[in-house]
Amino acid sequence: MSGLKIFEDAKPKAAIVSTTDVDVIARELSAIGVQFERWESPVSLSPDDSAEVILNAYKPYLDQLMGAKGAGSADVVKLTPDNPNVAALRQKFLAEHIHTEDEIRFFVHGSGHFVMHVNDRVYDAFCERGDLISVPANTKHWFDAGEKPFFTALRVFTDTSGWVAHFTGDNISERFPVA
Ligand SMILES: [Fe+2]
């Protein structure tokens, strides 16, 4: 079930908010500029479907989202526990970083934690199938789906250079093990 936990950044073990209520998640995240939505889409896909099939199935939704965001491209990112690079890929997303564009993801299968670090607070958003999250440019964050990640997500880019991270050098994700 999708969820949100909010912490003071100096107190990793004491959540001040913990909810699985989608409306509360959306409201709390909206307060820091993060968009969160559940899409009750009729699209039914298998984890084995190709990126092309997934992009085609979600085309009407993507066209609307990309229009709203002024986005230029979309792709599919998939990670499963049997990926030989799973540990390295996990590390790539795990260190706190920012982007110069919004980070927009829709979970087609599986789940993962998007963790935002804003105003001395940590917002751990557990996203699962059917969830859309859009993290604004320059928001400090990281992503973790654990040691055995399983997810397929649509990614929407406004910048033609794709996923480019600027790492903050803060090891806060080590102090906040969410997955
Ligand atoms: Fe990111």
Side-chain angles (χ1 to χ4, degrees):
M1 187 177 281
S2 314
L4 175 69
K5 291 181 181 174
I6 305 175
F7 303 83
E8 292 177 23
D9 64 2
K11 296 181 180 173
K13 289 184 179 157
I16 50 179
V17 171
S18 181
T19 183
T20 55
D21 183 318
V22 171
D23 292 335
V24 177
I25 296 170
R27 193 171 65 232
E28 292 283 357
L29 290 178
S30 173
I32 57 165
V34 173
Q35 180 185 356
F36 179 90
E37 290 176 10
R38 292 227 74 190
W39 288 5
E40 303 297 342
S41 76
V43 177
S44 180
L45 293 165
S46 153
D48 297 326
D49 283 328
S50 68
E52 190 182 5
V53 167
I54 293 169
L55 286 168
N56 270 332
Y58 279 99
K59 191 170 188 312
Y61 300 90
L62 276 172
D63 285 350
Q64 194 181 16
L65 180 65
M66 291 169 75
K69 298 282 184 183
S73 64
D75 71 4
V76 173
V77 62
K78 182 176 181 177
L79 196 53
T80 52
D82 58 356
N83 185 310
N85 297 319
V86 72
L89 287 167
R90 184 184 186 202
Q91 289 304 317
K92 182 177 169 184
F93 304 126
L94 193 54
E96 186 183 82
H97 61 273
I98 62 165
H99 306 284
T100 55
E101 63 170 348
D102 297 357
E103 179 151 302
I104 307 161
R105 301 288 180 268
F106 174 75
F107 283 78
V108 176
H109 298 292
S111 59
H113 294 257
F114 265 93
V115 193
M116 281 66 64
H117 184 194
V118 179
N119 298 332
D120 301 327
R121 289 191 169 180
V122 170
Y123 296 74
D124 169 15
F126 179 64
C127 300
E128 62 173 8
R129 177 180 179 157
D131 290 343
L132 171 79
I133 189 164
S134 178
V135 180
N138 300 309
T139 301
K140 292 187 282 185
H141 68 278
W142 65 93
F143 176 77
D144 195 11
E147 290 179 354
K148 294 183 178 176
F150 174 77
F151 65 86
T152 302
L154 293 171
R155 308 195 293 182
V156 173
F157 296 102
T158 54
D159 191 320
T160 52
S161 49
W163 192 88
V164 179
H166 303 277
F167 294 97
T168 66
D170 188 334
N171 67 353
I172 186 169
S173 63
E174 294 173 20
R175 303 195 298 277
F176 274 89
V178 294

